Amino acid sequence: MKKWNLILIVLFWFSNNSFANDFEFTPNLQNAYSELCKLKVQHAKQLLAKEPTNNGIRIWLEDFADMIVLFASEDEKEYERLAENEDKRLDLIEDLDENSPYNKFIQAEIKLHWALVKMKLGHETKGGFDAISAYKLLEENRKKFPNFTANYKNLGVFHVMIGSVPENYRWVTKLLGLKGNIQQGLKELNIAINDKIVGKEAKFYQLFIQSNVLTLNDDERQEITQFVNNNPDNLAISFLATSILMRDNKSEIAQKILQTRASGSGYLAMPIFDLYQAEILFNKGNYPQAIQYYQNYLKNFRGHSFLKDVNFKLFLANWLTNNPDKALNHLAKIPNVGKKLSETDIIAQNFYEQFQKTKIYPNKNLVKANYAFEGGHYAEALEFLDNLDENSFTAQLDKANFNFRKARILQKLNAQNQAIPYFERAMALCAGQNCHFGASSSLQLGYIYQQKNDKLKARMSFEKAIAYKKHEYKNSIDNKAQAALTEMGI
């Protein structure tokens, strides 16, 4: 009898612990995850190969590796070859321990990986469904395992993005069952940052959200450079910081990060760094060197992103250095390369189409002022505009561009009151048109009035920014304006 009791106890124990190692985050797998976050994909794959194939953590990290490679390369053929792995891996995870917090967490991670890849390749609808499914899995997991802090890494991002959806589109999020707000999302990201495993990745997303949806202050800018300094061997963090600082018109700081970033054969090839270097040089007016880096990007990158924009910049660089034939050659390539997914690619395509109708070149000083501003060279940008006024232009769009650019330069030079009438004039010139200079001016006026604590004018300006219909920066401007309104409690 005792013998049978012992057998029954052993069988019971195994039936309840057969999943015990389904999600074992071994030191080797932690190392592989760390390597993936640094973009050292090949070494990570070597580490993963040492682990049992039925370990859910290995399955998750193999999927992470595929996402990194596909997202960076935009290789359509490789995507077609690997796409079936999404369902295969989801099936494998579903068969593992459903009482582990990693089960639904990893299912959501896999769906998010493929959502990012699909959207990057232009399959927005498919990617959108994957993202919504991932969100719902994370919410289910949060209810079941509220203390599983890794869950809040992506939930925080979701809730910030949902909270920044403009009011007139909220019905869509409600229809899809998406709930959240910006403060909730930021709080969740802060929870995830303290997680021993995914904390660094959560910090990566927090800084991305802060710079792309919200606004940066000086402390947060310092935090970005410190994040880089604390992780000198992490190429992904260098990429993020460079991207943020260039968007924030801090090209000189971005240049230093580019020069000191991690390098070597162990890291994933990143042609985007050639593009960043080209942009920095172009914004400084160093067109010959910029051309070399733009050409490097075209030579080494096999995807579609920024190909229209790069050919547009090569058109401008050659035109500004008095090489009209080369300039027009690059202009002619714009409709035949890349996709109209990024804002800069859309702008390039729009310029090409307008040029075909009018054959009118832009004003050289206005072009130089625009890009000097983008690089953070505000005094130089203002000098390019010194001998210009509205009467220097015939096209309404150019007049609006001139007023908007002068306003932005003055704003950055802390001459806020002087900037306001130029922003207002740009808005007036864009009245009744799908003109991003009007929407952008409204957004910046909102920030100015927000700083002045004039809540009524700030609200009116942000709402006006959202009211502009079709323009190149519609999504980003709407998200930022709504985020500002939410921050104001509106």
Side-chain angles (χ1 to χ4, degrees), residues 38 45 107 110 141 170 211 283 300 444:
K38 296 174 185 176
K45 286 183 175 181
Q107 288 184 57
I110 291 171
N141 211 40
R170 292 283 173 84
S211 62
N283 293 341
N300 297 320
Q444 296 304 324

Side-chain angles (χ1 to χ4, degrees), residues 297-298 301-312 334 337-339 345:
Y297 179 76
L298 293 178
F301 185 56
R302 295 292 176 265
H304 61 260
S305 289
F306 313 122
L307 298 187
K308 293 180 185 294
D309 177 54
V310 167
N311 276 285
F312 176 53
I334 290 175
V337 297
K339 298 179 181 180
D345 282 330

